[in-house]
Amino acid sequence: MTNEEIQARISEVLCELFELDSADVTPEARLYEDLDIDSIDAVDLIVELKTMTDGKKIDPEDFKSVRTVGDVITAIEKLMNS
Amino acid sequence: MSLGKYWRFSATFFCFMTFGIGGMTLPLIVRPLLWVVIRNPLQRQRTGKRMVHYSFRAFVEIMQFLGVIRYRVSGTENLAKTGQLILANHPTLIDVVLLIAFVKNADCVVKESLFKNPATYGAITMAGYITNDSPAKMLDKVARSLQQGNNVIIFPEGTRTTLNEPLKLKRGAANIALTSSSDITPVIITCSPPALSKEHRWYEAADERVNLSIDIRDSININQFSQSERTSHSSRQLTRYLEWYFSEALALH
C-alpha cells in the first residue's frame, strides 16, 4: 500500500466509524478538538485499523501521543513498514 | 455576614474536616480488620463498599443535622434491581457522596486524581472503585462489576456541570451501556441555590441552606439504541438522546 492509499483508507475508516464529513478529515485535524473522537472511540479506531496492518496492532500506550489525523497516518505507516 | 451564614460557613468547614480526617483515618483502621476477617478478596471488597455506603450515609446525615444541606430523595423504588447502570448529572462536589449514601452495592467510576488524594484514597481502594485512567480497561471493569451485581454510578459529563452552559456528555457511559446491554437508570440531581459547583470554592458557604434533590427515574431501555451494527454509531445516538434527556429534565426544575 502506498502512503496515499494509506491516507485515503484511514480517512475512509474515520468517516465510516464516526459519522464525519470527509472534507473535515485533513491531516491537520485534531481528533478530539476538531473531530470529537474521544479516548473510547480511539479504542474502536485501533481495532478497525488492525485490519489494515495484517493484525499488527497499535499499542494503546503509543496511541496516547496521537493528536491529529496526520499522527494516525504516521503511526500506521510506521507499523506497516516495520 | 449574617448569623446563619456564619454558622453555615463554620459547619461547612467542620464537614470538610470531618470528611478529610475520616477519609484518612477510617480506612486505616477498617482495612486491616477486613483483611484479617474476610479472606475472599471479592467478598472483602463487597464489605468495603458497604462500609463506605454507611459512612457516607452518616456523613450526609451530619451535613443535614448541622444545617449545611437539606436532601430529598425520590424514586428509590427504581433501585430495586441489582447490576444497574446509574447515570447522573453532576452539579456539586458531593453528588457522589449522596449517591453512594443512598444506593446499595454502589460501585463508581472515579477520576484518577482522587486516587492521589489522601482523603479519598482509602475509601476508593477499600471499596474497589473503578478509575477512568485507561478507557479500554475501564469498560471491562464496569462490565464485570455490573455482572457481579453492583450498581455502577457514572457521571457521564466526566466532570462537574459548568453552570449556565449546555450540558455535554462524554460517550463513555453510552458505550458501557451498549456493550454490556445494560438498561440505564437516570438520576437527576439538583442543587438550589447553586453551591459546591465548579465555580464555587468549597468554603464559600451559600446564603441559605442548600437543598439537594436526588430523583431516581424510570430506566431507559437500551435495546432501542443497539440496532446499528457499529457501536460508535449507536453510542453517538444514545449520547445525543441522553443529552436531550438530562437537559429536558433539568429545565423542568
Side-chain angles (χ1 to χ4, degrees), chain B residues 202-250:
Chain B
W202 61 266
Y203 50 81
E204 270 181 72
D207 288 332
E208 48 196 293
R209 190 194 261 237
V210 172
N211 287 292
L212 281 155
S213 139
I214 297 174
D215 185 15
I216 302 146
R217 301 279 182 101
D218 285 334
S219 68
I220 298 169
N221 184 315
I222 197 68
N223 291 331
Q224 52 183 320
F225 294 98
S226 43
Q227 308 302 332
S228 165
E229 60 180 282
R230 285 207 183 279
T231 314
S232 57
H233 292 180
S234 330
S235 79
R236 278 168 166 71
Q237 194 197 346
L238 176 54
T239 303
R240 278 193 291 268
Y241 174 77
L242 290 171
E243 278 172 351
W244 172 84
Y245 182 97
F246 279 104
S247 308
E248 200 67 5
L250 289 165

Tab-separated table of all heavy atoms in Angstrom, chain B residues 202-250:
chain	number	residue	atom	x	y	z
B	202	TRP	N	-14.850	25.537	47.775
B	202	TRP	CA	-15.601	24.669	48.687
B	202	TRP	C	-16.006	25.373	49.965
B	202	TRP	O	-17.008	25.066	50.590
B	202	TRP	CB	-14.808	23.393	48.991
B	202	TRP	CG	-13.485	23.644	49.660
B	202	TRP	CD1	-12.278	23.771	49.059
B	202	TRP	CD2	-13.236	23.814	51.060
B	202	TRP	NE1	-11.310	24.018	49.982
B	202	TRP	CE2	-11.861	24.034	51.223
B	202	TRP	CE3	-14.050	23.795	52.203
B	202	TRP	CZ2	-11.265	24.247	52.459
B	202	TRP	CZ3	-13.458	23.994	53.437
B	202	TRP	CH2	-12.091	24.215	53.548
B	203	TYR	N	-15.222	26.392	50.385
B	203	TYR	CA	-15.515	27.032	51.667
B	203	TYR	C	-16.499	28.194	51.506
B	203	TYR	O	-16.881	28.836	52.464
B	203	TYR	CB	-14.223	27.525	52.327
B	203	TYR	CG	-13.357	28.335	51.406
B	203	TYR	CD1	-13.619	29.673	51.173
B	203	TYR	CD2	-12.273	27.743	50.748
B	203	TYR	CE1	-12.837	30.412	50.317
B	203	TYR	CE2	-11.482	28.478	49.889
B	203	TYR	CZ	-11.770	29.815	49.677
B	203	TYR	OH	-10.993	30.541	48.824
B	204	GLU	N	-16.916	28.483	50.258
B	204	GLU	CA	-17.900	29.538	50.065
B	204	GLU	C	-19.262	29.033	50.528
B	204	GLU	O	-19.923	28.286	49.809
B	204	GLU	CB	-18.021	29.866	48.576
B	204	GLU	CG	-17.098	30.944	48.088
B	204	GLU	CD	-17.317	31.187	46.611
B	204	GLU	OE1	-18.358	31.759	46.265
B	204	GLU	OE2	-16.466	30.777	45.816
B	205	ALA	N	-19.675	29.422	51.691
B	205	ALA	CA	-20.984	28.981	52.176
B	205	ALA	C	-22.076	29.723	51.424
B	205	ALA	O	-21.914	30.879	51.054
B	205	ALA	CB	-21.093	29.255	53.671
B	206	ALA	N	-23.168	29.020	51.170
B	206	ALA	CA	-24.271	29.642	50.446
B	206	ALA	C	-25.013	30.605	51.366
B	206	ALA	O	-24.865	30.555	52.582
B	206	ALA	CB	-25.212	28.568	49.938
B	207	ASP	N	-25.823	31.474	50.770
B	207	ASP	CA	-26.582	32.436	51.558
B	207	ASP	C	-27.684	31.758	52.359
B	207	ASP	O	-28.180	32.291	53.332
B	207	ASP	CB	-27.198	33.495	50.642
B	207	ASP	CG	-26.118	34.426	50.105
B	207	ASP	OD1	-25.100	34.600	50.808
B	207	ASP	OD2	-26.274	34.946	48.989
B	208	GLU	N	-28.116	30.633	51.870
B	208	GLU	CA	-29.124	29.892	52.620
B	208	GLU	C	-28.762	28.407	52.598
B	208	GLU	O	-27.822	28.020	51.913
B	208	GLU	CB	-30.508	30.111	52.013
B	208	GLU	CG	-30.514	29.940	50.511
B	208	GLU	CD	-31.771	30.522	49.874
B	208	GLU	OE1	-32.836	29.940	50.139
B	208	GLU	OE2	-31.686	31.499	49.128
B	209	ARG	N	-29.518	27.629	53.333
B	209	ARG	CA	-29.268	26.206	53.365
B	209	ARG	C	-29.399	25.629	51.952
B	209	ARG	O	-30.277	26.033	51.192
B	209	ARG	CB	-30.306	25.550	54.278
B	209	ARG	CG	-30.033	24.113	54.611
B	209	ARG	CD	-31.288	23.513	55.216
B	209	ARG	NE	-31.213	23.470	56.671
B	209	ARG	CZ	-31.348	22.332	57.359
B	209	ARG	NH1	-31.541	21.196	56.753
B	209	ARG	NH2	-31.292	22.350	58.663
B	210	VAL	N	-28.533	24.708	51.613
B	210	VAL	CA	-28.505	24.172	50.258
B	210	VAL	C	-29.480	22.994	50.146
B	210	VAL	O	-29.396	22.045	50.920
B	210	VAL	CB	-27.075	23.708	49.905
B	210	VAL	CG1	-27.069	22.965	48.592
B	210	VAL	CG2	-26.133	24.898	49.849
B	211	ASN	N	-30.411	23.086	49.224
B	211	ASN	CA	-31.362	21.997	49.004
B	211	ASN	C	-30.874	21.093	47.895
B	211	ASN	O	-30.726	21.534	46.759
B	211	ASN	CB	-32.724	22.554	48.602
B	211	ASN	CG	-33.423	23.191	49.779
B	211	ASN	OD1	-33.817	22.503	50.724
B	211	ASN	ND2	-33.548	24.498	49.748
B	212	LEU	N	-30.645	19.844	48.237
B	212	LEU	CA	-30.198	18.890	47.228
B	212	LEU	C	-31.305	17.890	46.977
B	212	LEU	O	-31.827	17.290	47.917
B	212	LEU	CB	-28.949	18.161	47.720
B	212	LEU	CG	-27.655	18.957	47.576
B	212	LEU	CD1	-26.640	18.481	48.579
B	212	LEU	CD2	-27.124	18.834	46.167
B	213	SER	N	-31.671	17.747	45.721
B	213	SER	CA	-32.711	16.791	45.412
B	213	SER	C	-32.160	15.720	44.476
B	213	SER	O	-31.444	16.016	43.514
B	213	SER	CB	-33.904	17.529	44.798
B	213	SER	OG	-34.426	16.788	43.733
B	214	ILE	N	-32.466	14.479	44.820
B	214	ILE	CA	-31.992	13.351	44.025
B	214	ILE	C	-33.202	12.579	43.541
B	214	ILE	O	-33.952	12.023	44.346
B	214	ILE	CB	-31.100	12.435	44.876
B	214	ILE	CG1	-29.872	13.226	45.298
B	214	ILE	CG2	-30.699	11.179	44.127
B	214	ILE	CD1	-29.000	12.494	46.232
B	215	ASP	N	-33.406	12.597	42.251
B	215	ASP	CA	-34.593	11.962	41.697
B	215	ASP	C	-34.166	10.772	40.836
B	215	ASP	O	-33.548	10.955	39.789
B	215	ASP	CB	-35.364	13.004	40.865
B	215	ASP	CG	-36.672	12.454	40.352
B	215	ASP	OD1	-37.120	11.406	40.855
B	215	ASP	OD2	-37.251	13.072	39.431
B	216	ILE	N	-34.493	9.580	41.310
B	216	ILE	CA	-34.117	8.372	40.572
B	216	ILE	C	-35.272	8.024	39.636
B	216	ILE	O	-36.377	7.765	40.083
B	216	ILE	CB	-33.810	7.224	41.554
B	216	ILE	CG1	-32.693	7.652	42.511
B	216	ILE	CG2	-33.414	5.959	40.805
B	216	ILE	CD1	-32.810	7.087	43.887
B	217	ARG	N	-34.990	8.054	38.344
B	217	ARG	CA	-36.054	7.942	37.343
B	217	ARG	C	-36.240	6.501	36.857
B	217	ARG	O	-35.390	5.641	37.084
B	217	ARG	CB	-35.721	8.818	36.136
B	217	ARG	CG	-35.557	10.291	36.456
B	217	ARG	CD	-36.912	10.932	36.544
B	217	ARG	NE	-36.842	12.364	36.799
B	217	ARG	CZ	-37.005	13.301	35.863
B	217	ARG	NH1	-37.180	12.955	34.604
B	217	ARG	NH2	-36.971	14.583	36.178
B	218	ASP	N	-37.334	6.304	36.109
B	218	ASP	CA	-37.573	5.009	35.451
B	218	ASP	C	-36.435	4.718	34.484
B	218	ASP	O	-35.891	5.635	33.870
B	218	ASP	CB	-38.868	5.066	34.640
B	218	ASP	CG	-40.089	5.012	35.538
B	218	ASP	OD1	-39.972	4.457	36.648
B	218	ASP	OD2	-41.127	5.549	35.138
B	219	SER	N	-36.123	3.439	34.322
B	219	SER	CA	-34.966	3.114	33.497
B	219	SER	C	-35.242	3.333	32.010
B	219	SER	O	-36.384	3.304	31.553
B	219	SER	CB	-34.527	1.673	33.760
B	219	SER	OG	-35.508	0.798	33.281
B	220	ILE	N	-34.177	3.564	31.282
B	220	ILE	CA	-34.230	3.746	29.831
B	220	ILE	C	-33.822	2.426	29.188
B	220	ILE	O	-32.734	1.914	29.466
B	220	ILE	CB	-33.259	4.862	29.391
B	220	ILE	CG1	-33.649	6.198	30.023
B	220	ILE	CG2	-33.208	4.969	27.872
B	220	ILE	CD1	-32.604	7.290	29.866
B	221	ASN	N	-34.696	1.901	28.362
B	221	ASN	CA	-34.421	0.622	27.709
B	221	ASN	C	-33.314	0.779	26.672
B	221	ASN	O	-33.362	1.668	25.829
B	221	ASN	CB	-35.713	0.125	27.050
B	221	ASN	CG	-35.547	-1.237	26.443
B	221	ASN	OD1	-34.560	-1.518	25.773
B	221	ASN	ND2	-36.514	-2.091	26.672
B	222	ILE	N	-32.329	-0.094	26.740
B	222	ILE	CA	-31.162	0.070	25.875
B	222	ILE	C	-31.386	-0.527	24.482
B	222	ILE	O	-30.751	-0.104	23.512
B	222	ILE	CB	-29.907	-0.553	26.551
B	222	ILE	CG1	-28.614	-0.043	25.908
B	222	ILE	CG2	-29.935	-2.055	26.517
B	222	ILE	CD1	-28.343	1.393	26.145
B	223	ASN	N	-32.326	-1.470	24.379
B	223	ASN	CA	-32.480	-2.174	23.098
B	223	ASN	C	-32.796	-1.252	21.928
B	223	ASN	O	-32.350	-1.482	20.808
B	223	ASN	CB	-33.570	-3.238	23.218
B	223	ASN	CG	-33.123	-4.364	24.115
B	223	ASN	OD1	-31.928	-4.643	24.207
B	223	ASN	ND2	-34.066	-4.982	24.814
B	224	GLN	N	-33.559	-0.198	22.191
B	224	GLN	CA	-33.925	0.714	21.111
B	224	GLN	C	-32.710	1.416	20.514
B	224	GLN	O	-32.790	1.982	19.436
B	224	GLN	CB	-34.919	1.746	21.637
B	224	GLN	CG	-34.425	2.441	22.884
B	224	GLN	CD	-35.417	3.419	23.468
B	224	GLN	OE1	-36.084	4.132	22.747
B	224	GLN	NE2	-35.513	3.459	24.782
B	225	PHE	N	-31.574	1.386	21.221
B	225	PHE	CA	-30.392	2.082	20.724
B	225	PHE	C	-29.345	1.142	20.149
B	225	PHE	O	-28.335	1.575	19.629
B	225	PHE	CB	-29.749	2.902	21.841
B	225	PHE	CG	-30.618	4.024	22.299
B	225	PHE	CD1	-31.400	3.878	23.424
B	225	PHE	CD2	-30.679	5.209	21.582
B	225	PHE	CE1	-32.222	4.903	23.842
B	225	PHE	CE2	-31.491	6.237	21.988
B	225	PHE	CZ	-32.268	6.078	23.124
B	226	SER	N	-29.559	-0.167	20.298
B	226	SER	CA	-28.497	-1.083	19.869
B	226	SER	C	-28.801	-1.707	18.511
B	226	SER	O	-28.389	-2.825	18.237
B	226	SER	CB	-28.260	-2.141	20.949
B	226	SER	OG	-29.480	-2.616	21.449
B	227	GLN	N	-29.528	-0.985	17.652
B	227	GLN	CA	-29.880	-1.542	16.346
B	227	GLN	C	-28.725	-1.456	15.350
B	227	GLN	O	-28.499	-2.363	14.566
B	227	GLN	CB	-31.100	-0.813	15.762
B	227	GLN	CG	-32.294	-0.722	16.701
B	227	GLN	CD	-32.791	-2.083	17.157
B	227	GLN	OE1	-32.646	-3.075	16.459
B	227	GLN	NE2	-33.353	-2.144	18.359
B	228	SER	N	-27.996	-0.344	15.398
B	228	SER	CA	-26.887	-0.164	14.457
B	228	SER	C	-25.787	-1.178	14.764
B	228	SER	O	-25.530	-1.496	15.921
B	228	SER	CB	-26.328	1.248	14.570
B	228	SER	OG	-25.091	1.324	13.935
B	229	GLU	N	-25.135	-1.702	13.702
B	229	GLU	CA	-24.116	-2.726	13.959
B	229	GLU	C	-22.820	-2.115	14.489
B	229	GLU	O	-21.998	-2.800	15.055
B	229	GLU	CB	-23.844	-3.537	12.688
B	229	GLU	CG	-23.346	-2.701	11.531
B	229	GLU	CD	-23.085	-3.557	10.299
B	229	GLU	OE1	-22.047	-4.223	10.281
B	229	GLU	OE2	-23.924	-3.543	9.381
B	230	ARG	N	-22.659	-0.842	14.290
B	230	ARG	CA	-21.448	-0.191	14.800
B	230	ARG	C	-21.727	0.486	16.130
B	230	ARG	O	-22.581	1.358	16.232
B	230	ARG	CB	-20.959	0.864	13.821
B	230	ARG	CG	-20.282	0.295	12.609
B	230	ARG	CD	-19.286	1.300	12.073
B	230	ARG	NE	-18.647	0.853	10.864
B	230	ARG	CZ	-17.628	0.007	10.839
B	230	ARG	NH1	-17.162	-0.470	11.976
B	230	ARG	NH2	-17.086	-0.342	9.697
B	231	THR	N	-20.949	0.086	17.157
B	231	THR	CA	-21.138	0.699	18.475
B	231	THR	C	-20.849	2.192	18.417
B	231	THR	O	-21.485	2.978	19.108
B	231	THR	CB	-20.209	0.041	19.509
B	231	THR	OG1	-20.304	-1.357	19.345
B	231	THR	CG2	-20.604	0.412	20.911
B	232	SER	N	-19.885	2.583	17.566
B	232	SER	CA	-19.548	4.017	17.510
B	232	SER	C	-20.733	4.848	17.035
B	232	SER	O	-20.897	5.990	17.439
B	232	SER	CB	-18.329	4.259	16.627
B	232	SER	OG	-18.529	3.751	15.329
B	233	HIS	N	-21.594	4.253	16.186
B	233	HIS	CA	-22.788	4.982	15.749
B	233	HIS	C	-23.844	4.993	16.844
B	233	HIS	O	-24.400	6.043	17.177
B	233	HIS	CB	-23.393	4.357	14.485
B	233	HIS	CG	-22.518	4.514	13.278
B	233	HIS	ND1	-22.863	4.032	12.044
B	233	HIS	CD2	-21.310	5.083	13.133
B	233	HIS	CE1	-21.894	4.308	11.177
B	233	HIS	NE2	-20.940	4.948	11.826
B	234	SER	N	-24.124	3.806	17.407
B	234	SER	CA	-25.168	3.741	18.441
B	234	SER	C	-24.800	4.609	19.630
B	234	SER	O	-25.670	5.226	20.230
B	234	SER	CB	-25.365	2.322	18.952
B	234	SER	OG	-25.084	1.375	17.988
B	235	SER	N	-23.505	4.634	19.968
B	235	SER	CA	-23.133	5.386	21.166
B	235	SER	C	-23.311	6.883	20.929
B	235	SER	O	-23.664	7.624	21.837
B	235	SER	CB	-21.711	5.067	21.608
B	235	SER	OG	-20.778	5.750	20.826
B	236	ARG	N	-23.105	7.310	19.679
B	236	ARG	CA	-23.372	8.729	19.382
B	236	ARG	C	-24.860	9.034	19.495
B	236	ARG	O	-25.259	10.053	20.062
B	236	ARG	CB	-22.858	9.070	17.989
B	236	ARG	CG	-21.374	9.345	18.001
B	236	ARG	CD	-20.747	9.403	16.638
B	236	ARG	NE	-19.426	9.995	16.699
B	236	ARG	CZ	-18.361	9.410	17.233
B	236	ARG	NH1	-18.464	8.199	17.763
B	236	ARG	NH2	-17.208	10.024	17.271
B	237	GLN	N	-25.652	8.117	18.966
B	237	GLN	CA	-27.100	8.304	19.006
B	237	GLN	C	-27.600	8.328	20.462
B	237	GLN	O	-28.365	9.200	20.861
B	237	GLN	CB	-27.740	7.154	18.234
B	237	GLN	CG	-29.191	7.368	17.885
B	237	GLN	CD	-29.860	6.050	17.507
B	237	GLN	OE1	-29.182	5.042	17.271
B	237	GLN	NE2	-31.167	6.055	17.460
B	238	LEU	N	-27.124	7.348	21.244
B	238	LEU	CA	-27.548	7.263	22.644
B	238	LEU	C	-27.072	8.482	23.435
B	238	LEU	O	-27.811	9.022	24.270
B	238	LEU	CB	-27.009	5.967	23.273
B	238	LEU	CG	-27.267	5.746	24.757
B	238	LEU	CD1	-28.749	5.870	25.100
B	238	LEU	CD2	-26.757	4.377	25.198
B	239	THR	N	-25.848	8.936	23.175
B	239	THR	CA	-25.332	10.106	23.884
B	239	THR	C	-26.168	11.340	23.575
B	239	THR	O	-26.495	12.120	24.468
B	239	THR	CB	-23.860	10.349	23.521
B	239	THR	OG1	-23.121	9.172	23.829
B	239	THR	CG2	-23.272	11.512	24.289
B	240	ARG	N	-26.546	11.487	22.292
B	240	ARG	CA	-27.416	12.621	21.938
B	240	ARG	C	-28.745	12.537	22.689
B	240	ARG	O	-29.246	13.528	23.206
B	240	ARG	CB	-27.666	12.646	20.425
B	240	ARG	CG	-26.528	13.297	19.634
B	240	ARG	CD	-26.953	13.585	18.208
B	240	ARG	NE	-27.146	12.368	17.428
B	240	ARG	CZ	-26.186	11.787	16.691
B	240	ARG	NH1	-24.990	12.317	16.647
B	240	ARG	NH2	-26.424	10.684	16.017
B	241	TYR	N	-29.288	11.312	22.755
B	241	TYR	CA	-30.551	11.134	23.461
B	241	TYR	C	-30.397	11.506	24.937
B	241	TYR	O	-31.237	12.211	25.510
B	241	TYR	CB	-31.058	9.692	23.326
B	241	TYR	CG	-32.279	9.436	24.168
B	241	TYR	CD1	-33.532	9.891	23.763
B	241	TYR	CD2	-32.175	8.797	25.402
B	241	TYR	CE1	-34.651	9.706	24.559
B	241	TYR	CE2	-33.280	8.604	26.203
B	241	TYR	CZ	-34.516	9.058	25.780
B	241	TYR	OH	-35.620	8.888	26.580
B	242	LEU	N	-29.318	11.030	25.560
B	242	LEU	CA	-29.113	11.300	26.981
B	242	LEU	C	-28.915	12.794	27.243
B	242	LEU	O	-29.405	13.322	28.241
B	242	LEU	CB	-27.919	10.509	27.511
B	242	LEU	CG	-28.111	8.993	27.622
B	242	LEU	CD1	-26.794	8.306	27.946
B	242	LEU	CD2	-29.159	8.641	28.679
B	243	GLU	N	-28.205	13.457	26.335
B	243	GLU	CA	-28.025	14.904	26.485
B	243	GLU	C	-29.387	15.601	26.464
B	243	GLU	O	-29.663	16.482	27.278
B	243	GLU	CB	-27.130	15.466	25.368
B	243	GLU	CG	-25.655	15.264	25.664
B	243	GLU	CD	-24.739	15.636	24.504
B	243	GLU	OE1	-25.237	15.890	23.382
B	243	GLU	OE2	-23.513	15.660	24.731
B	244	TRP	N	-30.220	15.142	25.541
B	244	TRP	CA	-31.577	15.705	25.469
B	244	TRP	C	-32.342	15.391	26.762
B	244	TRP	O	-32.977	16.260	27.348
B	244	TRP	CB	-32.305	15.118	24.247
B	244	TRP	CG	-33.751	15.484	24.204
B	244	TRP	CD1	-34.286	16.638	23.708
B	244	TRP	CD2	-34.854	14.724	24.723
B	244	TRP	NE1	-35.644	16.631	23.876
B	244	TRP	CE2	-36.026	15.477	24.494
B	244	TRP	CE3	-34.957	13.477	25.362
B	244	TRP	CZ2	-37.288	15.032	24.879
B	244	TRP	CZ3	-36.211	13.036	25.752
B	244	TRP	CH2	-37.361	13.805	25.509
B	245	TYR	N	-32.252	14.137	27.213
B	245	TYR	CA	-32.992	13.685	28.384
B	245	TYR	C	-32.632	14.515	29.619
B	245	TYR	O	-33.502	15.024	30.322
B	245	TYR	CB	-32.700	12.198	28.637
B	245	TYR	CG	-33.461	11.617	29.806
B	245	TYR	CD1	-34.638	10.909	29.610
B	245	TYR	CD2	-32.996	11.790	31.110
B	245	TYR	CE1	-35.341	10.384	30.689
B	245	TYR	CE2	-33.692	11.272	32.192
B	245	TYR	CZ	-34.857	10.570	31.972
B	245	TYR	OH	-35.555	10.057	33.038
B	246	PHE	N	-31.337	14.646	29.883
B	246	PHE	CA	-30.904	15.380	31.070
B	246	PHE	C	-31.223	16.872	30.957
B	246	PHE	O	-31.673	17.486	31.922
B	246	PHE	CB	-29.398	15.172	31.314
B	246	PHE	CG	-29.076	13.880	32.011
B	246	PHE	CD1	-28.553	12.798	31.312
B	246	PHE	CD2	-29.300	13.734	33.373
B	246	PHE	CE1	-28.271	11.601	31.953
B	246	PHE	CE2	-29.014	12.539	34.019
B	246	PHE	CZ	-28.499	11.468	33.313
B	247	SER	N	-31.005	17.444	29.782
B	247	SER	CA	-31.302	18.876	29.611
B	247	SER	C	-32.771	19.140	29.848
B	247	SER	O	-33.156	20.095	30.530
B	247	SER	CB	-30.943	19.344	28.203
B	247	SER	OG	-29.627	18.987	27.901
B	248	GLU	N	-33.588	18.259	29.285
B	248	GLU	CA	-35.036	18.367	29.423
B	248	GLU	C	-35.442	18.263	30.898
B	248	GLU	O	-36.192	19.090	31.403
B	248	GLU	CB	-35.646	17.206	28.614
B	248	GLU	CG	-37.055	17.314	28.214
B	248	GLU	CD	-37.343	18.407	27.202
B	248	GLU	OE1	-36.413	19.070	26.698
B	248	GLU	OE2	-38.513	18.602	26.953
B	249	ALA	N	-34.903	17.268	31.580
B	249	ALA	CA	-35.254	17.038	32.982
B	249	ALA	C	-34.818	18.218	33.855
B	249	ALA	O	-35.510	18.588	34.794
B	249	ALA	CB	-34.610	15.756	33.477
B	250	LEU	N	-33.673	18.793	33.545
B	250	LEU	CA	-33.160	19.876	34.389
B	250	LEU	C	-33.892	21.181	34.126
B	250	LEU	O	-34.061	22.004	35.031
B	250	LEU	CB	-31.662	20.052	34.149
B	250	LEU	CG	-30.825	18.904	34.715
B	250	LEU	CD1	-29.423	18.929	34.153
B	250	LEU	CD2	-30.803	18.981	36.233
